[in-house]
Amino acid sequence: MVSGKGVVGISVKAPDAGLLLISPLKISGAYNSWLSCFLGYDRPPVDRSESYPDLFMTLYKPSRRNFLLTTLGLTAAHMGRSAPSAPLTVGQVIDRIKANVGIPWREQTVDNLIAGSLEQPVTGIATTMMATLDALKRASAGGMNLIITHEPTFFTHQDRTEPFLQDPIYQHKRDFIAKQGISVFHFHDHWHGRRPDGIATGMIRELGWEQYADPQQPKLFTFPETTLARLAQGIESKLKIRTMRVLGDPNMPVRRVLASWGNVGLMHGIPYVEQADVIILGETHEWELVEYIQDANAAGRKKALIILGHLVSEQAGMKYCAEWLKGFIQEVPIGFVAAAEPFWRPDQPVR
Amino acid sequence: MVSGKGVVGISVKAPDAGLLLISPLKISGAYNSWLSCFLGYDRPPVDRSESYPDLFMTLYKPSRRNFLLTTLGLTAAHMGRSAPSAPLTVGQVIDRIKANVGIPWREQTVDNLIAGSLEQPVTGIATTMMATLDALKRASAGGMNLIITHEPTFFTHQDRTEPFLQDPIYQHKRDFIAKQGISVFHFHDHWHGRRPDGIATGMIRELGWEQYADPQQPKLFTFPETTLARLAQGIESKLKIRTMRVLGDPNMPVRRVLASWGNVGLMHGIPYVEQADVIILGETHEWELVEYIQDANAAGRKKALIILGHLVSEQAGMKYCAEWLKGFIQEVPIGFVAAAEPFWRPDQPVR
């Protein structure tokens, strides 16, 4: 089937989403009860060995000092001033991201404000891998009104909205965002562009692979010799993936692994095959790179491919993003909203 | 990760593959022993209820009449002539396909001769879903020197070769094809374009879904009410799929199902969601149609997605293609070479 085998990039257009503004003072005044309501239970500090149950949400609590300042309607940035501080705005958060990401901001990028406004006061920030409607609902129910998402909100890499203006699912999502007063910032290109890549940093930490990483080639890992099946089983268990797919001889000895999180196109993927025994990625086309790696095996080269699923292959990178934001944003709570793995397999249905 | 999120179509270029020609008379004279060698066992006529073990190959035997003609070095087309017939060529097979496919041949198409030559005498025809090196090896070992493949030979929809000229896996495959004297014909657009779609016909027959098909809308099926989990389990079992993925509430009631075999892009897929409870397809992007269907559910619409895997979602369409070819090609044996499902899952490794 051909449909959609060619994809054409189209310029970004943000939806026209009106906003209901929520004062951050309302939040700060009731911060403690809000926190309990949001989490539903007291949560210990983030443990990197823990992965994601379906709708798990980690909240990175502000420090006690900042909590007190926030409760008083003050921010760290304004300490020492006598007047109450102005609330932190979406635009200020984006400016701080630009100032801290460590690379020049690109002219051509999908990293834009997709919904909301730069002037909106921020009540809380949620990072997520993909701003699905479900993730937006959970973030909003927790009082977060700035969502920082790695993947699109509106179904295309460029968050195009023109094709969907009459679409009921698009309209429902757009209207929910507007009604809840949410701003959404797409943070893809620069989070990958950062050195080291923010997604890779989060994934490596989640997997506990720091000791195996090649400092010269950050996608490469050298492991004590194992087999493909054991490597795959370890990743599946660590990331709690339900629908991982593996290509290659399960008994093949494995030492060199190359991980490229997210989608990998053919021409990016082919050079990886020379560099490692195993390629790990999020998604790729079956009639392109998958055929190539099958052929490598038929040609006598022992090569393997592990397809994690796009979402689970980058998710921990946005968990780490919440931590990173905390380094330069102390005025509002910052949390990570895990998007659920979309799939289950027929012998283990998941509601 | 962005790499490869835009794909640009490039015009077709066939590789420069020399050929070792094999006389069809050599084959026809030893047809019986060749047949046994190829199959390794006597095979009953094709049973549609049977699916594909890994490397299963079905051979559609010529009729007894044509078998005798072939053994005598004659062809049906030349009956009554006194001189021995000229061997059937690749070009003649392609001309008969064009004459029988039932739609005008397109000017812009990927359906081209990818390797070999139009003048090559054909010793046998193998249809396959994807001309992987492994599938080519098995077809060639069985004496077939014309491979009719639905998916690409050289890793891109357009079978581009320029990017791979220095690539060792490409070179190995190209050289194998040349050394074995194989011709490869890409048969994608017109097999889908045929009414009814040749791939759909084969898949529906394989699944035994003829009675549920909507004659007005050939992608649509209406089933006696079942649940999503039961539908998915039935398909998994019938097509013997190892790594199927399902999205949606397993208990949701299901009646209307839309199947679009192969790859489905976002803009093709969205209208399907309105038309059915469940969309079945081969592969699609997680950040596009998968997000859209997740959002449809979060917006209160009960919708499901079953991703079969690209190869297994079209495979039976090329099994049927072998049957179809037999309707107008009697001079040479015609078989179907199943390409293996590329993947296994970590808890059930497959060598």
Side-chain angles (χ1 to χ4, degrees):
Chain A
M1 187 68 189
V2 271
S3 74
K5 276 186 179 168
V7 177
V8 179
I10 297 193
S11 62
V12 179
K13 186 172 184 306
D16 178 23
L19 285 170
L20 293 175
L21 300 186
I22 300 166
S23 158
L25 294 177
K26 275 200 219 162
I27 297 291
S28 61
Y31 184 73
N32 225 353
S33 63
W34 169 87
L35 194 65
S36 317
C37 159
F38 184 38
L39 289 172
Y41 56 95
D42 276 336
R43 187 165 184 79
V46 176
D47 170 6
R48 278 199 288 110
S49 69
E50 181 185 56
S51 199
Y52 318 107
D54 272 0
L55 306 180
F56 164 66
M57 176 188 286
T58 309
L59 188 77
Y60 295 85
K61 295 184 186 180
S63 68
R64 183 166 176 78
R65 172 171 160 274
N66 287 311
F67 168 70
L68 290 171
L69 290 170
T70 311
T71 309
L72 293 169
L74 300 172
T75 68
H78 294 84
M79 260 193 74
R81 286 196 191 177
S82 54
S85 66
L88 183 72
T89 65
V90 168
Q92 286 170 327
V93 171
I94 294 173
D95 286 344
R96 289 197 209 167
I97 288 174
K98 290 180 178 179
N100 284 277
V101 75
I103 55 170
W105 204 254
R106 302 177 188 176
E107 283 195 26
Q108 288 292 324
T109 178
V110 300
D111 293 357
N112 294 289
L113 189 68
I114 306 305
S117 77
L118 294 174
E119 295 72 36
Q120 179 180 14
V122 176
T123 59
I125 301 172
T127 64
T128 190
M129 164 57 187
M130 191 182 285
T132 58
L133 180 55
D134 176 64
L136 293 174
K137 282 182 175 179
R138 284 181 289 122
S140 179
M144 269 84 162
N145 70 346
L146 172 57
I147 316 299
I148 298 183
T149 180
H150 187 62
E151 290 295 319
T153 307
F154 294 123
F155 326 123
T156 67
H157 189 51
Q158 296 81 13
D159 281 301
R160 298 160 57 193
T161 56
E162 324 88 72
F164 310 114
L165 293 176
Q166 303 307 315
D167 182 278
I169 307 304
Y170 162 75
Q171 288 173 346
H172 185 103
K173 192 172 195 176
R174 176 200 62 192
D175 294 349
F176 174 84
I177 289 171
K179 191 169 168 200
Q180 299 300 315
I182 294 171
S183 288
V184 182
F185 181 63
H186 195 165
F187 190 37
H188 180 277
D189 299 345
H190 296 83
W191 193 229
H192 275 306
R194 177 177 166 79
R195 288 294 165 259
D197 178 322
I199 293 291
T201 300
M203 292 301 299
I204 292 167
R205 291 174 59 172
E206 192 74 20
L207 286 159
W209 282 5
E210 293 93 336
Q211 59 184 312
Y212 308 119
D214 182 330
Q216 301 308 312
Q217 303 180 70
K219 289 179 191 288
L220 272 175
F221 303 86
T222 305
F223 291 95
E225 190 168 306
T226 183
T227 66
L228 175 59
R230 280 204 295 271
L231 176 74
Q233 286 154 3
I235 298 168
E236 182 188 49
S237 157
K238 205 72 162 274
L239 300 181
K240 293 186 173 41
I241 302 177
R242 295 192 292 245
T243 56
M244 224 173 104
R245 293 172 293 159
V246 189
L247 183 166
D249 176 357
N251 300 320
M252 73 178 261
V254 164
R255 281 183 58 84
R256 296 268 288 177
V257 172
L258 189 149
S260 188
W261 318 101
N263 183 65
V264 175
L266 175 72
M267 299 313 292
H268 280 82
I270 283 182
Y272 297 160
V273 180
E274 278 302 301
Q275 295 173 54
D277 308 315
V278 185
I279 314 299
I280 298 176
L281 48 75
E283 71 175 292
T284 193
H285 284 309
E286 227 175 285
W287 71 90
E288 295 182 342
L289 190 58
V290 177
E291 183 179 30
Y292 182 89
I293 296 178
Q294 284 179 287
D295 283 354
N297 280 283
R301 316 282 292 273
K302 283 269 188 192
K303 296 292 178 180
L305 176 66
I306 298 180
I307 304 188
L308 303 177
H310 198 139
L311 192 137
V312 292
S313 84
E314 301 195 293
Q315 173 107 289
M318 292 310 286
K319 182 178 171 188
Y320 167 62
C321 184
E323 283 186 61
W324 176 73
L325 291 169
K326 264 193 75 179
F328 51 87
I329 298 169
Q330 283 88 30
E331 299 92 328
V332 295
I334 299 175
F336 162 66
V337 176
E341 181 181 0
F343 307 114
W344 43 269
R345 60 197 215 191
D347 61 335
Q348 293 180 3
V350 175
R351 199 191 158 82
Chain B
M1 186 68 190
V2 272
S3 73
K5 275 183 179 169
V7 178
V8 179
I10 296 193
S11 62
V12 179
K13 188 172 182 306
D16 179 22
L19 286 171
L20 294 177
L21 300 187
I22 301 166
S23 159
L25 294 178
K26 274 199 223 164
I27 297 291
S28 60
Y31 184 72
N32 224 353
S33 63
W34 171 84
L35 195 67
S36 319
C37 159
F38 183 38
L39 289 171
Y41 56 95
D42 276 335
R43 189 167 181 77
V46 175
D47 171 7
R48 279 199 286 109
S49 68
E50 182 186 56
S51 201
Y52 318 107
D54 271 0
L55 305 180
F56 164 66
M57 176 189 283
T58 309
L59 188 76
Y60 296 85
K61 294 185 186 177
S63 68
R64 181 163 177 77
R65 173 171 160 275
N66 286 309
F67 168 70
L68 290 172
L69 290 170
T70 310
T71 308
L72 293 169
L74 300 172
T75 68
H78 292 85
M79 259 191 76
R81 283 197 193 179
S82 56
S85 67
L88 182 72
T89 65
V90 168
Q92 286 169 327
V93 171
I94 295 172
D95 286 343
R96 289 196 209 167
I97 288 174
K98 290 181 179 178
N100 284 277
V101 75
I103 54 169
W105 204 255
R106 302 177 187 175
E107 282 194 26
Q108 288 290 324
T109 178
V110 300
D111 293 357
N112 294 291
L113 188 68
I114 305 306
S117 78
L118 296 174
E119 295 73 34
Q120 180 179 12
V122 177
T123 59
I125 301 172
T127 64
T128 191
M129 163 58 186
M130 192 182 284
T132 58
L133 180 55
D134 176 63
L136 294 174
K137 282 183 175 179
R138 284 181 290 124
S140 179
M144 270 86 161
N145 71 346
L146 172 56
I147 317 300
I148 298 184
T149 180
H150 186 63
E151 291 294 319
T153 308
F154 293 123
F155 326 123
T156 66
H157 188 51
Q158 296 81 13
D159 282 301
R160 298 161 57 194
T161 56
E162 324 86 74
F164 310 114
L165 293 176
Q166 303 307 315
D167 181 280
I169 307 304
Y170 162 74
Q171 288 173 346
H172 184 102
K173 192 173 195 175
R174 177 199 62 192
D175 295 347
F176 175 83
I177 289 170
K179 193 170 166 198
Q180 299 300 314
I182 294 171
S183 288
V184 182
F185 181 63
H186 195 165
F187 190 36
H188 180 277
D189 298 346
H190 296 82
W191 192 229
H192 275 307
R194 178 179 166 77
R195 289 291 165 263
D197 178 322
I199 292 292
T201 301
M203 292 301 299
I204 292 167
R205 290 174 61 173
E206 191 75 20
L207 287 159
W209 283 6
E210 292 93 337
Q211 60 183 313
Y212 308 120
D214 183 330
Q216 300 308 311
Q217 303 180 69
K219 288 178 191 290
L220 272 175
F221 303 86
T222 305
F223 290 96
E225 190 169 306
T226 182
T227 65
L228 175 60
R230 280 203 295 271
L231 176 74
Q233 287 154 2
I235 298 169
E236 182 188 48
S237 158
K238 205 70 161 275
L239 301 181
K240 294 187 173 37
I241 302 177
R242 295 192 293 246
T243 56
M244 225 173 103
R245 294 172 293 160
V246 189
L247 182 166
D249 176 355
N251 301 319
M252 73 177 262
V254 164
R255 281 183 58 83
R256 297 269 287 176
V257 172
L258 190 150
S260 189
W261 318 102
N263 183 64
V264 175
L266 175 71
M267 299 314 289
H268 280 83
I270 283 183
Y272 297 159
V273 179
E274 278 302 299
Q275 295 173 54
D277 309 315
V278 185
I279 314 298
I280 298 176
L281 48 75
E283 70 175 293
T284 193
H285 284 310
E286 225 176 288
W287 71 89
E288 295 182 344
L289 190 58
V290 176
E291 182 179 32
Y292 182 90
I293 297 178
Q294 285 180 286
D295 283 355
N297 279 285
R301 316 281 293 273
K302 283 268 188 192
K303 297 290 177 182
L305 176 66
I306 298 181
I307 304 188
L308 304 177
H310 198 139
L311 192 137
V312 292
S313 85
E314 301 195 292
Q315 174 107 290
M318 292 310 285
K319 182 179 170 186
Y320 166 62
C321 185
E323 283 187 59
W324 176 73
L325 290 169
K326 261 196 77 182
F328 52 86
I329 298 170
Q330 283 88 31
E331 297 91 330
V332 294
I334 299 174
F336 161 66
V337 176
E341 181 181 358
F343 307 115
W344 43 268
R345 57 198 219 191
D347 61 336
Q348 292 180 1
V350 176
R351 200 191 158 84

